[in-house]
Amino acid sequence: MATLGVIIPLGFGMHDKKIQQKQSALDSSEAKLNDISIQLLNNITVIHLNSQESLLKGVNKLGKGELLKASALNANDIEAILPPQVSDRTDMLLSEASKIAEEIDFRRNIANHIEQNSEELKYLSVEAADSVLDELSPEHLQKLELKELDSRGSFYGDIYLYLRGWLKLSIEYDIPMPEGRIIQSHLDRKLYIDTLKYIRDQRVDAFKLEEEKPKSVVRKYLNILIEKLENN
């Protein structure tokens, strides 16, 4: 009995250590994500989004930095700044600007939702990665140095970066981010592809999006990411 009393706490201690190691790897990925995000926000995606927003600001007289909403647009504002010779195009411009504003809002809502559910994405990253790795033979896992749970932290972190970083920014700016900016910790690219396919095919509900339309956007961009990884 005395021996059991020693073994059981020791087992719990080892389990807690593995959980801490896993959390540490995910936290490290979070910090890495912040650096990647800053770099990506300075590339062509910003120009793309700004070109859309500049049209809306000019048409709707929105102040600098104000969040664009389709509900803020109205025909009177447009007519007030249009020259007489093009005033007959007011309805067309209003419709076009409204569509752009609605699309921007729609994408931002999905991106914000991903941001707000980042903790759930950590769990999803671990679940999806383990589901793929656990299908491999012990020999293959040993060769990849991924046989032990506490050796998988960097792989979990990479998958989390793809979901929390690449996916969020790609949807928000409606342009696929350069996938090469996320450096893969492991050489076997198929592991990443299979894990992302698992999420796309079986676990999109884990993003906790209630409607099918935003879910289809997540699937669309997961498809784009998977194709990029397959072709590069």
Side-chain angles (χ1 to χ4, degrees), residues 67-116:
L67 185 62
L68 299 173
K69 295 290 182 184
S71 58
L73 299 167
N74 63 78
N76 291 333
D77 283 342
I78 296 176
E79 289 176 347
I81 62 172
L82 287 177
Q85 60 267 33
V86 295
S87 60
D88 59 339
R89 300 179 60 204
T90 296
D91 289 342
M92 183 190 71
L93 287 173
L94 175 60
S95 175
E96 183 68 19
S98 296
K99 289 177 181 178
I100 293 174
E102 288 171 354
E103 181 61 27
I104 290 174
D105 289 340
F106 175 67
R107 294 198 312 269
R108 278 178 171 165
N109 286 338
I110 299 175
N112 289 338
H113 182 87
I114 290 175
E115 179 86 23
Q116 293 163 5

Side-chain angles (χ1 to χ4, degrees), residues 34-222:
N34 290 335
D35 294 336
I36 292 173
S37 298
I38 291 172
Q39 296 169 15
L40 290 177
L41 288 175
N42 288 325
N43 69 14
I44 190 66
T45 60
V46 175
I47 299 174
H48 173 75
L49 183 62
N50 285 345
S51 68
Q52 296 181 356
E53 295 196 346
S54 62
L55 169 62
L56 293 175
K57 287 176 182 177
V59 171
N60 194 41
K61 293 184 176 180
L62 288 174
K64 183 178 180 181
E66 185 174 350
L67 185 62
L68 299 173
K69 295 290 182 184
S71 58
L73 299 167
N74 63 78
N76 291 333
D77 283 342
I78 296 176
E79 289 176 347
I81 62 172
L82 287 177
Q85 60 267 33
V86 295
S87 60
D88 59 339
R89 300 179 60 204
T90 296
D91 289 342
M92 183 190 71
L93 287 173
L94 175 60
S95 175
E96 183 68 19
S98 296
K99 289 177 181 178
I100 293 174
E102 288 171 354
E103 181 61 27
I104 290 174
D105 289 340
F106 175 67
R107 294 198 312 269
R108 278 178 171 165
N109 286 338
I110 299 175
N112 289 338
H113 182 87
I114 290 175
E115 179 86 23
Q116 293 163 5
N117 288 275
S118 59
E119 286 301 311
E120 283 80 1
L121 294 185
K122 289 182 180 180
Y123 292 117
L124 175 60
S125 300
V126 172
E127 175 201 333
D130 281 344
S131 72
V132 170
L133 294 177
D134 290 345
E135 292 295 318
L136 303 179
S137 69
E139 294 76 19
H140 193 180
L141 287 173
Q142 189 69 44
K143 183 178 179 180
L144 295 170
E145 299 182 353
L146 290 169
K147 184 176 181 180
E148 304 300 329
L149 288 177
D150 57 0
S151 67
R152 298 180 179 183
S154 58
F155 185 58
Y156 297 149
D158 290 346
I159 298 301
Y160 175 68
L161 278 177
Y162 279 128
L163 300 182
R164 170 73 168 64
W166 190 95
L167 187 64
K168 173 188 177 295
L169 291 171
S170 296
I171 291 174
E172 183 170 4
Y173 294 105
D174 197 25
I175 289 183
M177 300 294 124
E179 76 286 353
R181 300 306 292 272
I182 297 177
I183 305 301
Q184 296 177 349
S185 304
H186 298 273
L187 296 178
D188 192 340
R189 179 163 292 198
K190 187 175 184 299
L191 295 178
Y192 294 88
I193 294 171
D194 289 347
T195 302
L196 292 168
K197 284 182 177 180
Y198 172 86
I199 294 171
R200 177 198 65 189
D201 297 339
Q202 301 186 44
R203 297 296 286 127
V204 168
D205 285 343
F207 285 86
K208 298 186 182 301
L209 294 161
E210 295 182 1
E211 298 181 3
E212 184 57 35
K213 186 176 179 181
K215 289 181 184 179
S216 67
V217 172
V218 170
R219 291 191 188 95
K220 169 189 171 182
Y221 275 94
L222 285 173

